[in-house]
Amino acid sequence: MVQLPPSCLVLALVLGAADLILCTGKTKQPHKTLPPLFLCALIMPPPLQGINRCVARNFGHDSVVCECNSTYCDGVGPVSLPPLGQFSTYLSSRAGSRMEPGRGQVQVNSSGAGVRLTLAPYQKYQRIRGFGGAMTDAAAINILSLSAGAQEQLLRQYFSEEGIGYSVVRVPVASCDFSTRLYTYADTPGDYELKNFTLAPEDVNMKIPLLLRAQALSPRPLSLLGSAWSAPAWLKTNGALVGKGSLKGQPGGKEHKTWAQYYIRFLEEYAKFNLTFWALTTGNEPSAGEMTNYSFQALGFTPEEQRDWVALDLGPALRSSSHPHTHVLTLDDNRLLLPHWAKVVLGDVHAARYIHGVAVHWYLDSLVPAEASLGATHRLYPEYYLFGTEACAGWSPLDRGVKLGSWDRAEQYAHDILEDLNHYVVGWTDWNLALDQTGGPNWVKNFVDSPVIVDAERDVFYKQPSFYGVAHFRWPRVLLYMSFLNRRRSLLFFILRSLRMTSVCSKFLWEGSQRVGVSASGKTPLEFAAFVRPDGSVALVVLNRSSSAIQFEVWDPAVGYLPCTAPAHSLLTVAWNTH
């Protein structure tokens, strides 16, 4: 039995025969015509009263973190868009707002104040596949260092309908720098048939259980993405997992075929735990393995070598395996290698037939314009999608490690996501889901930042401003759909956020949304992107990195003018119905 909050007023509504379509959290399932029934309308307090406010802590940087523990964490809960003629806003800012909700009234006439952002829904671009982060060994260690209640709270923040609804999880294939030791799944020299292939304790005891828990919290299947850092040392020219080294022999030879089969065995072993992968990349940062004295795990490939390995080994191995529909993403490295890398790999018909997309990292983005790399690649190969597979703050020697409460890093995230989305990228994946206060563990001390920082001693975790930098690219979906045979009858139906019913969809359903045109009436420091969701509603994300508040209005020809203000150093999501 569900226990109702005392603030609710329960009304018994007698309904006639109704044709209901309920969203079950997995798929929409139509129900046959129902006999007359009683439904309870749960009348909640005004929306702002139902919010879990951020428990702010200041660590001396330019903004605050939100502290969470086993029993409390901030969040807006499941919400729905207002009726036609109104719009919703969600605001985060350096001043301390965190997904602060608001509402406005659509106007018939322009106010003439500030810049105008004009929506052009007839200009259609890419559809969005999803957002996520990486379940590294380090992330798993940190999540599991918390109490059971705090672990659950952290996973909910990322994967549940109460959180930001991540749908993509990148999983390192064996160890990476964010491990506590060096290992692969086949460390027996000369084992070309991979008879001794075995998942590591890190997989079986940490990553796999956490992935299963994340999947259980998610209202839809998670898209798992596998990336390998290095082949076993005995397959490599340098005989080591680290440093400059590539596969021995030539594409089509036994070393290359064994490395392809290694990927297949990885998929097979995870499938035994009911975890299937949406995609594999051709290997993390192949350019790193071409660098002398590179400090951690890497496997070097030139674009020509990767092209031939995919064409002769990986592609055929996947196609003939029990996982033939697994996507293959080439590159998995910095975008400054584009469009050259794509020209080499995708320009070859034998390799291209096995490739589905191009994976990019955000490091060194400032060295090459997005239009010259992402835009050029899309124009050359529009049938292959672009997908962001790694990003993190605190990686630069000039700005290293964890900065608790850094709003500047949230702006870095939001700027990069907006720039990527405005240049045909269909998804964006953060790096470690959680790290400790030093930015680790990391066996080579390559410490960086994360949107969630764990303080195991206090059994709490901190949601960094960068967490909200990603959160603004997720938004509410209509929770319940009804069509009544008798159109003269109406129903006032409020969804109780604390009621966990199978008939309620996730609040954040991004996949399938389509980027559409939006343009400014004049020069403005605002950065923005607009999307039409599958249900026809619209969401606009606006970043203001300037030190002044900026008034603007959105003109959607289908509904009217939406007056808005972007405070100084803020991120704003505006969402509205169009019918």
Side-chain angles (χ1 to χ4, degrees), residues 90-107:
Y90 296 89
L91 173 70
S92 297
S93 68
R94 188 167 73 179
S97 295
R98 295 293 182 266
M99 295 296 290
E100 181 179 306
R103 287 204 175 175
Q105 193 73 33
V106 176
Q107 304 297 313

Side-chain angles (χ1 to χ4, degrees), residues 170-175 184-186 191-194 197-199 203 224-232 235 247 254-272 275-286 298-301 306 309-310 313-324 326-332 355 359:
R170 189 177 184 221
V171 182
V173 178
S175 67
T184 74
Y185 303 137
D191 185 15
Y192 289 99
E193 295 182 1
L194 300 177
F197 185 101
T198 308
L199 292 180
D203 295 274
L224 302 184
L225 170 67
S227 295
W229 265 245
S230 176
L235 286 175
L247 290 174
K254 63 180 182 179
E255 288 85 6
H256 286 70
K257 290 198 177 299
T258 299
W259 182 228
Q261 286 300 321
Y262 183 100
Y263 275 78
I264 307 304
R265 287 297 306 277
F266 170 75
L267 296 177
E268 291 172 348
E269 292 301 314
Y270 264 70
K272 292 177 182 178
L275 291 171
T276 57
F277 279 72
W278 152 63
L280 295 170
T281 75
T282 46
N284 179 75
E285 298 183 354
L299 178 63
F301 274 112
Q306 190 175 93
W309 177 63
V310 169
D313 305 301
L314 180 63
L318 259 180
R319 190 68 57 87
S320 62
S321 76
S322 56
H323 303 276
T326 305
H327 285 206
V328 176
L329 308 186
T330 188
L331 187 58
D332 203 16
I355 300 291

Side-chain angles (χ1 to χ4, degrees), residues 27-289:
T27 56
K28 298 174 189 174
Q29 300 181 352
H31 293 249
K32 293 182 179 179
T33 299
L34 301 175
L37 72 162
F38 288 90
L39 288 183
C40 291
L42 304 172
I43 310 297
M44 293 300 296
L48 292 179
Q49 295 180 29
I51 296 169
N52 284 349
R53 296 289 186 182
C54 168
V55 177
R57 290 197 64 191
N58 193 316
F59 285 87
H61 293 292
D62 59 353
S63 192
V64 297
V65 299
C66 296
E67 181 177 300
C68 302
N69 59 32
S70 61
T71 61
Y72 185 89
C73 201
D74 61 286
V76 295
V79 290
S80 59
L81 293 184
L84 189 66
Q86 298 178 33
F87 61 93
S88 292
T89 60
Y90 296 89
L91 173 70
S92 297
S93 68
R94 188 167 73 179
S97 295
R98 295 293 182 266
M99 295 296 290
E100 181 179 306
R103 287 204 175 175
Q105 193 73 33
V106 176
Q107 304 297 313
V108 175
N109 299 311
S110 169
S111 67
V115 68
R116 178 186 300 170
L117 304 182
T118 300
L119 191 75
Y122 56 87
Q123 296 175 351
K124 300 181 185 299
Y125 301 99
Q126 80 275 23
R127 291 190 182 274
I128 302 305
R129 287 178 174 262
F131 282 69
M135 186 66 79
T136 60
D137 291 353
I141 288 168
N142 281 297
I143 295 170
L144 293 171
S145 71
L146 295 166
S147 67
Q151 291 175 32
E152 184 77 1
Q153 191 80 266
L154 192 158
L155 291 172
R156 284 187 179 280
Q157 291 303 306
Y158 273 129
F159 298 105
S160 79
E161 61 192 17
E162 302 159 14
I164 61 176
Y166 269 4
S167 60
V168 177
V169 185
R170 189 177 184 221
V171 182
V173 178
S175 67
C176 65
D177 53 321
F178 280 92
S179 299
T180 56
R181 64 188 182 96
L182 291 159
Y183 66 90
T184 74
Y185 303 137
D187 288 327
T188 303
D191 185 15
Y192 289 99
E193 295 182 1
L194 300 177
K195 292 180 178 179
N196 297 305
F197 185 101
T198 308
L199 292 180
E202 286 85 345
D203 295 274
V204 177
N205 299 328
M206 298 193 305
K207 291 191 290 187
I208 288 173
L210 286 171
L211 289 171
L212 291 170
R213 289 168 63 183
Q215 179 61 83
L217 290 169
S218 175
R220 58 200 173 279
L222 293 175
S223 296
L224 302 184
L225 170 67
S227 295
W229 265 245
S230 176
W234 55 272
L235 286 175
K236 296 176 62 180
T237 55
N238 63 337
L241 299 185
V242 303
K244 181 178 180 178
S246 55
L247 290 174
K248 295 176 181 177
Q250 299 297 322
K254 63 180 182 179
E255 288 85 6
H256 286 70
K257 290 198 177 299
T258 299
W259 182 228
Q261 286 300 321
Y262 183 100
Y263 275 78
I264 307 304
R265 287 297 306 277
F266 170 75
L267 296 177
E268 291 172 348
E269 292 301 314
Y270 264 70
K272 292 177 182 178
F273 294 90
N274 201 30
L275 291 171
T276 57
F277 279 72
W278 152 63
L280 295 170
T281 75
T282 46
N284 179 75
E285 298 183 354
S287 65

